[in-house]
Amino acid sequence: MKYDFITIGGAAEDLTLLVKEGILIDNKKDILRQKLLAFEYGAKIEIDDIDRNFGGGAANVAVSLSGLGFRVANISAVGRDERGDRILKNFRKHRIDSRLIRVTGEEETSYSFIILGKSKDRVIFFSRGAEKKIEITKKELKYLNKTRWIYLNALSGDWKENLKKIFSVEKAKIIWNPGNAQLERGKELKKYLVRTEILIVNKDEAIQLAISAGAAAGRGNVFLNNIDNLLRTLKALGPKVVVITNGKAGAKAYDGKHIYFQGVLKEKVRLDTTGLGDAFGSAFAAGMIFYKGNLRRSLLLGARNSASVISEIGAQKGLLTKEKIFFYL
């Protein structure tokens, strides 16, 4: 079977703890940790509510793209446990082909604990678990060589070998949202960035990648805090298009000629920022197909999907379908 997209990366279950305590602290002196969510040391923090949802970057993107009308498969790994069974059932519910998902008894299925404070921003504590067992074999390569697009999220485990195999695929266009393990090794990513069709990162990730790739040598915090500078810096590393999301400040895309800006859209209610990057990136990718590479219109679809997701608790509940995303506002 030939797919429109194959997503690669994490599939997890999220447990969101809603609390009224916690304050957001500016920490601009540390370029990689500019905001901190803090709680009183030694205190007992009351939980107002608990919400269980599905998550994981590649799973979120797969669910979104399937809802937007594309044929989607996922490459991930889950444990041979109840959590893994629930995730596989969720994939089937959303018409995502799971034949390439590895089920392993060596690790338990990945999960996250998310602390959602009164500011509606959050901190995520995660366990990679079975994600570390993702493996790109001849079987996966067979399907990757037939798909139109590869949407690559964070990788763990033997990610260097997997990355080498993924980027050996010649025909598929690759959209890449690197994880922390990759962002810390920027110099090792250069040979893959030149093969990347669309690089999607948030501002903090962009700064981390620019520094680790050696592309920001001699540059201070003022330079690195400027999105336009980051766009040009990352574009010079090789990707055809660079997209940087920046929370309430919106998002920008750069193709080497023009920088396009999209502000955030008014949401019904701001509940949870979890999964906004995946919602934005997946809808942007869909827009690049719907609108034949039009960056401005693709950014708008990303903003619409994000504004819907932020109105629900969890990364997948508010994702827009193809019918709804064009009539969202």
Side-chain angles (χ1 to χ4, degrees), residues 183 201-211 224 227 230-231 234 244:
L183 293 169
V201 288
N202 63 35
K203 180 184 175 183
D204 289 342
E205 293 167 341
I207 292 172
Q208 188 175 4
L209 179 56
I211 292 173
L224 289 170
I227 297 296
L230 289 172
L231 286 167
L234 297 186
I244 299 179

PDB file of all heavy atoms in Angstrom, residues 183 201-211 224 227 230-231 234 244:
ATOM      1  N   LEU A 183      18.703  17.579  18.765  1.00  0.00           N
ATOM      2  CA  LEU A 183      19.020  19.006  18.870  1.00  0.00           C
ATOM      3  C   LEU A 183      20.349  19.250  19.577  1.00  0.00           C
ATOM      4  O   LEU A 183      21.025  20.238  19.320  1.00  0.00           O
ATOM      5  CB  LEU A 183      17.899  19.731  19.613  1.00  0.00           C
ATOM      6  CG  LEU A 183      16.550  19.794  18.884  1.00  0.00           C
ATOM      7  CD1 LEU A 183      15.460  20.287  19.827  1.00  0.00           C
ATOM      8  CD2 LEU A 183      16.636  20.673  17.653  1.00  0.00           C
ATOM      9  N   VAL A 201      10.453  23.682  14.046  1.00  0.00           N
ATOM     10  CA  VAL A 201      10.903  23.730  15.436  1.00  0.00           C
ATOM     11  C   VAL A 201      10.228  24.907  16.137  1.00  0.00           C
ATOM     12  O   VAL A 201       9.761  25.838  15.482  1.00  0.00           O
ATOM     13  CB  VAL A 201      12.436  23.898  15.545  1.00  0.00           C
ATOM     14  CG1 VAL A 201      13.167  22.629  15.138  1.00  0.00           C
ATOM     15  CG2 VAL A 201      12.926  25.072  14.693  1.00  0.00           C
ATOM     16  N   ASN A 202      10.197  24.864  17.463  1.00  0.00           N
ATOM     17  CA  ASN A 202       9.764  26.050  18.188  1.00  0.00           C
ATOM     18  C   ASN A 202      10.988  26.921  18.472  1.00  0.00           C
ATOM     19  O   ASN A 202      12.121  26.553  18.141  1.00  0.00           O
ATOM     20  CB  ASN A 202       8.998  25.681  19.466  1.00  0.00           C
ATOM     21  CG  ASN A 202       9.847  24.913  20.476  1.00  0.00           C
ATOM     22  OD1 ASN A 202      11.045  25.137  20.621  1.00  0.00           O
ATOM     23  ND2 ASN A 202       9.217  23.989  21.199  1.00  0.00           N
ATOM     24  N   LYS A 203      10.768  28.066  19.061  1.00  0.00           N
ATOM     25  CA  LYS A 203      11.872  29.023  19.259  1.00  0.00           C
ATOM     26  C   LYS A 203      12.995  28.425  20.098  1.00  0.00           C
ATOM     27  O   LYS A 203      14.179  28.549  19.741  1.00  0.00           O
ATOM     28  CB  LYS A 203      11.345  30.295  19.910  1.00  0.00           C
ATOM     29  CG  LYS A 203      12.434  31.346  20.139  1.00  0.00           C
ATOM     30  CD  LYS A 203      11.894  32.551  20.885  1.00  0.00           C
ATOM     31  CE  LYS A 203      13.013  33.538  21.209  1.00  0.00           C
ATOM     32  NZ  LYS A 203      12.502  34.688  22.006  1.00  0.00           N
ATOM     33  N   ASP A 204      12.658  27.780  21.209  1.00  0.00           N
ATOM     34  CA  ASP A 204      13.687  27.204  22.072  1.00  0.00           C
ATOM     35  C   ASP A 204      14.488  26.137  21.335  1.00  0.00           C
ATOM     36  O   ASP A 204      15.716  26.058  21.470  1.00  0.00           O
ATOM     37  CB  ASP A 204      13.050  26.595  23.324  1.00  0.00           C
ATOM     38  CG  ASP A 204      12.529  27.667  24.280  1.00  0.00           C
ATOM     39  OD1 ASP A 204      12.943  28.834  24.149  1.00  0.00           O
ATOM     40  OD2 ASP A 204      11.700  27.337  25.148  1.00  0.00           O
ATOM     41  N   GLU A 205      13.793  25.309  20.555  1.00  0.00           N
ATOM     42  CA  GLU A 205      14.476  24.273  19.779  1.00  0.00           C
ATOM     43  C   GLU A 205      15.375  24.884  18.712  1.00  0.00           C
ATOM     44  O   GLU A 205      16.472  24.383  18.440  1.00  0.00           O
ATOM     45  CB  GLU A 205      13.447  23.346  19.141  1.00  0.00           C
ATOM     46  CG  GLU A 205      12.670  22.506  20.144  1.00  0.00           C
ATOM     47  CD  GLU A 205      11.441  21.832  19.541  1.00  0.00           C
ATOM     48  OE1 GLU A 205      10.977  22.272  18.472  1.00  0.00           O
ATOM     49  OE2 GLU A 205      10.948  20.867  20.158  1.00  0.00           O
ATOM     50  N   ALA A 206      14.918  25.968  18.107  1.00  0.00           N
ATOM     51  CA  ALA A 206      15.716  26.649  17.084  1.00  0.00           C
ATOM     52  C   ALA A 206      17.011  27.184  17.673  1.00  0.00           C
ATOM     53  O   ALA A 206      18.089  27.061  17.063  1.00  0.00           O
ATOM     54  CB  ALA A 206      14.904  27.795  16.471  1.00  0.00           C
ATOM     55  N   ILE A 207      16.909  27.771  18.860  1.00  0.00           N
ATOM     56  CA  ILE A 207      18.107  28.294  19.527  1.00  0.00           C
ATOM     57  C   ILE A 207      19.066  27.154  19.854  1.00  0.00           C
ATOM     58  O   ILE A 207      20.277  27.242  19.609  1.00  0.00           O
ATOM     59  CB  ILE A 207      17.712  29.048  20.816  1.00  0.00           C
ATOM     60  CG1 ILE A 207      16.959  30.332  20.463  1.00  0.00           C
ATOM     61  CG2 ILE A 207      18.952  29.374  21.651  1.00  0.00           C
ATOM     62  CD1 ILE A 207      16.356  31.048  21.665  1.00  0.00           C
ATOM     63  N   GLN A 208      18.527  26.067  20.399  1.00  0.00           N
ATOM     64  CA  GLN A 208      19.365  24.920  20.759  1.00  0.00           C
ATOM     65  C   GLN A 208      20.079  24.343  19.545  1.00  0.00           C
ATOM     66  O   GLN A 208      21.278  24.034  19.600  1.00  0.00           O
ATOM     67  CB  GLN A 208      18.510  23.844  21.430  1.00  0.00           C
ATOM     68  CG  GLN A 208      19.314  22.683  22.009  1.00  0.00           C
ATOM     69  CD  GLN A 208      18.444  21.696  22.764  1.00  0.00           C
ATOM     70  OE1 GLN A 208      17.223  21.833  22.809  1.00  0.00           O
ATOM     71  NE2 GLN A 208      19.062  20.693  23.360  1.00  0.00           N
ATOM     72  N   LEU A 209      19.367  24.214  18.434  1.00  0.00           N
ATOM     73  CA  LEU A 209      19.958  23.668  17.222  1.00  0.00           C
ATOM     74  C   LEU A 209      21.013  24.607  16.648  1.00  0.00           C
ATOM     75  O   LEU A 209      22.092  24.157  16.224  1.00  0.00           O
ATOM     76  CB  LEU A 209      18.870  23.402  16.182  1.00  0.00           C
ATOM     77  CG  LEU A 209      19.330  22.835  14.837  1.00  0.00           C
ATOM     78  CD1 LEU A 209      20.128  21.547  15.021  1.00  0.00           C
ATOM     79  CD2 LEU A 209      18.134  22.586  13.924  1.00  0.00           C
ATOM     80  N   ALA A 210      20.727  25.893  16.636  1.00  0.00           N
ATOM     81  CA  ALA A 210      21.692  26.862  16.113  1.00  0.00           C
ATOM     82  C   ALA A 210      22.995  26.821  16.898  1.00  0.00           C
ATOM     83  O   ALA A 210      24.095  26.875  16.332  1.00  0.00           O
ATOM     84  CB  ALA A 210      21.089  28.265  16.147  1.00  0.00           C
ATOM     85  N   ILE A 211      22.879  26.689  18.224  1.00  0.00           N
ATOM     86  CA  ILE A 211      24.078  26.646  19.076  1.00  0.00           C
ATOM     87  C   ILE A 211      24.840  25.342  18.879  1.00  0.00           C
ATOM     88  O   ILE A 211      26.057  25.342  18.677  1.00  0.00           O
ATOM     89  CB  ILE A 211      23.682  26.833  20.558  1.00  0.00           C
ATOM     90  CG1 ILE A 211      23.171  28.264  20.802  1.00  0.00           C
ATOM     91  CG2 ILE A 211      24.879  26.538  21.468  1.00  0.00           C
ATOM     92  CD1 ILE A 211      22.604  28.483  22.187  1.00  0.00           C
ATOM     93  N   LEU A 224      20.055  35.683  19.120  1.00  0.00           N
ATOM     94  CA  LEU A 224      19.377  34.391  19.157  1.00  0.00           C
ATOM     95  C   LEU A 224      17.907  34.509  19.534  1.00  0.00           C
ATOM     96  O   LEU A 224      17.116  33.617  19.236  1.00  0.00           O
ATOM     97  CB  LEU A 224      20.088  33.452  20.127  1.00  0.00           C
ATOM     98  CG  LEU A 224      21.456  32.930  19.660  1.00  0.00           C
ATOM     99  CD1 LEU A 224      22.171  32.206  20.784  1.00  0.00           C
ATOM    100  CD2 LEU A 224      21.299  32.021  18.455  1.00  0.00           C
ATOM    101  N   ILE A 227      13.590  35.935  15.911  1.00  0.00           N
ATOM    102  CA  ILE A 227      13.121  34.821  15.083  1.00  0.00           C
ATOM    103  C   ILE A 227      13.664  34.912  13.661  1.00  0.00           C
ATOM    104  O   ILE A 227      14.045  33.888  13.055  1.00  0.00           O
ATOM    105  CB  ILE A 227      11.581  34.764  15.064  1.00  0.00           C
ATOM    106  CG1 ILE A 227      11.045  34.493  16.466  1.00  0.00           C
ATOM    107  CG2 ILE A 227      11.099  33.660  14.112  1.00  0.00           C
ATOM    108  CD1 ILE A 227      11.424  33.153  17.033  1.00  0.00           C
ATOM    109  N   LEU A 230      17.086  33.571  13.538  1.00  0.00           N
ATOM    110  CA  LEU A 230      17.078  32.113  13.674  1.00  0.00           C
ATOM    111  C   LEU A 230      16.660  31.441  12.370  1.00  0.00           C
ATOM    112  O   LEU A 230      17.229  30.426  11.969  1.00  0.00           O
ATOM    113  CB  LEU A 230      16.134  31.694  14.801  1.00  0.00           C
ATOM    114  CG  LEU A 230      16.592  31.998  16.228  1.00  0.00           C
ATOM    115  CD1 LEU A 230      15.470  31.717  17.213  1.00  0.00           C
ATOM    116  CD2 LEU A 230      17.834  31.185  16.589  1.00  0.00           C
ATOM    117  N   LEU A 231      15.660  32.007  11.701  1.00  0.00           N
ATOM    118  CA  LEU A 231      15.207  31.447  10.424  1.00  0.00           C
ATOM    119  C   LEU A 231      16.352  31.414   9.414  1.00  0.00           C
ATOM    120  O   LEU A 231      16.584  30.397   8.740  1.00  0.00           O
ATOM    121  CB  LEU A 231      14.052  32.277   9.867  1.00  0.00           C
ATOM    122  CG  LEU A 231      12.682  32.114  10.545  1.00  0.00           C
ATOM    123  CD1 LEU A 231      11.741  33.220  10.106  1.00  0.00           C
ATOM    124  CD2 LEU A 231      12.075  30.751  10.227  1.00  0.00           C
ATOM    125  N   LEU A 234      19.166  28.820  10.502  1.00  0.00           N
ATOM    126  CA  LEU A 234      18.826  27.415  10.271  1.00  0.00           C
ATOM    127  C   LEU A 234      18.673  27.116   8.789  1.00  0.00           C
ATOM    128  O   LEU A 234      19.018  26.020   8.331  1.00  0.00           O
ATOM    129  CB  LEU A 234      17.547  27.050  11.020  1.00  0.00           C
ATOM    130  CG  LEU A 234      17.608  27.156  12.547  1.00  0.00           C
ATOM    131  CD1 LEU A 234      16.317  26.621  13.177  1.00  0.00           C
ATOM    132  CD2 LEU A 234      18.813  26.415  13.114  1.00  0.00           C
ATOM    133  N   ILE A 244       9.361  28.238  12.289  1.00  0.00           N
ATOM    134  CA  ILE A 244       9.596  28.391  13.722  1.00  0.00           C
ATOM    135  C   ILE A 244       8.318  28.900  14.375  1.00  0.00           C
ATOM    136  O   ILE A 244       7.790  29.943  13.996  1.00  0.00           O
ATOM    137  CB  ILE A 244      10.758  29.371  14.020  1.00  0.00           C
ATOM    138  CG1 ILE A 244      12.067  28.847  13.416  1.00  0.00           C
ATOM    139  CG2 ILE A 244      10.920  29.553  15.536  1.00  0.00           C
ATOM    140  CD1 ILE A 244      13.258  29.763  13.639  1.00  0.00           C
TER     141      ILE A 244
END
